[in-house]
Amino acid sequence: MKLTYRVEEGVRLGALLWEFGPGWRMISSAMLGGGIGVREWVLNAQVVAGYERMDPVDHLRSLGPGGDGVGMMTAASVDRYVRASDGGVEAFATVGLRVPTWAAAPEGFQDPELAPMRVGTVNIVTVVPVAMTDAALVNAVMTVTEAKSQALIEAGFAGTGTASDAVCVAVPVEGPEELFGGPRSEWGARAARAVHAAVRRGAEAWRPRDSG
């Protein structure tokens, strides 16, 4: 993982880049490279608060190393990322919680943090060292999300996340495929514990002065 900086709109912004190279498959909710497919890198790019560009996918692509990758955005300070591991699973989280929200909000609820383009505030990258079926990958995303919500609630935040969180789970292409990714499966449990630890520490360290 590399941490770099750039200046946009007069603001110094960080970006985290994981260069996996060939042989990795990912599932993600990100705007760039989302869905399930073979990917070679993941980018978690900090953007200005109130991001209003209308070309976020092209913007992310311009910040990446080229080729097929996953690109996420956040208004949180990415240099304050938190890393945790459990049994070979690694989790990285950037946590910003200015306006946590419950997933099941009333109809018509307007989250004050949503800019015209969705700017993620709790972004999670999870690396699992075993291949998984498509169904197990979907299950793993559920597990990561549940562990994130558990950590936020335990840290005292009234919400399951923010309105624009993003997640990415990366697994090798080769090898026997795991059939399960739930929180009581071998690798799902490890992912849950790693994500929970990273998000919990990030949430406890967060302060209102943060941008995201």
Side-chain angles (χ1 to χ4, degrees):
M1 183 191 66
K2 300 177 183 176
L3 172 62
T4 59
Y5 293 93
R6 69 192 190 282
V7 175
E8 289 182 3
E9 300 181 32
V11 180
R12 186 172 183 258
L13 303 168
L16 297 171
L17 176 65
W18 293 260
E19 293 189 271
F20 289 86
W24 288 84
R25 207 160 70 102
M26 303 182 191
I27 181 170
S28 179
S29 62
M31 288 183 289
L32 174 63
I36 299 177
V38 175
R39 308 284 186 264
E40 295 190 356
W41 51 267
V42 178
L43 176 73
N44 187 10
Q46 183 183 354
V47 296
V48 295
Y51 183 80
E52 294 184 346
R53 286 184 58 156
M54 301 304 293
D55 60 343
V57 173
D58 289 340
H59 187 195
L60 284 165
R61 189 175 288 114
S62 73
L63 298 175
D68 293 325
V70 171
M72 301 182 287
M73 290 181 171
T74 179
S77 300
V78 298
D79 53 7
R80 296 179 61 182
Y81 73 92
V82 182
R83 177 179 183 175
S85 61
D86 190 290
V89 176
E90 290 192 283
F92 304 80
T94 53
V95 180
L97 292 163
R98 184 159 52 178
V99 182
T101 190
W102 296 107
E107 183 177 0
F109 175 76
Q110 296 296 316
D111 192 306
E113 283 300 284
L114 288 183
M117 290 293 118
R118 296 168 68 82
V119 181
T121 51
V122 181
N123 286 345
I124 301 170
V125 176
T126 307
V127 185
V128 183
V130 294
M132 288 185 162
T133 64
D134 286 357
L137 283 173
V138 173
N139 207 177
V141 169
M142 293 170 57
T143 298
V144 166
T145 304
E146 290 168 359
K148 174 198 71 174
S149 297
Q150 178 183 341
L152 296 181
I153 293 168
E154 290 177 355
F157 289 90
T160 51
T162 79
S164 50
D165 295 345
V167 62
C168 177
V169 177
V171 301
V173 169
E174 299 294 333
E177 292 185 324
E178 293 291 318
L179 300 177
F180 307 104
R184 293 300 172 265
S185 67
E186 178 182 5
W187 291 101
R190 294 173 180 178
R193 289 190 293 266
V195 169
H196 177 269
V199 175
R200 178 73 183 263
R201 295 209 312 266
E204 291 174 343
W206 185 85
R207 296 292 181 270
R209 67 176 179 272
D210 290 355
S211 60

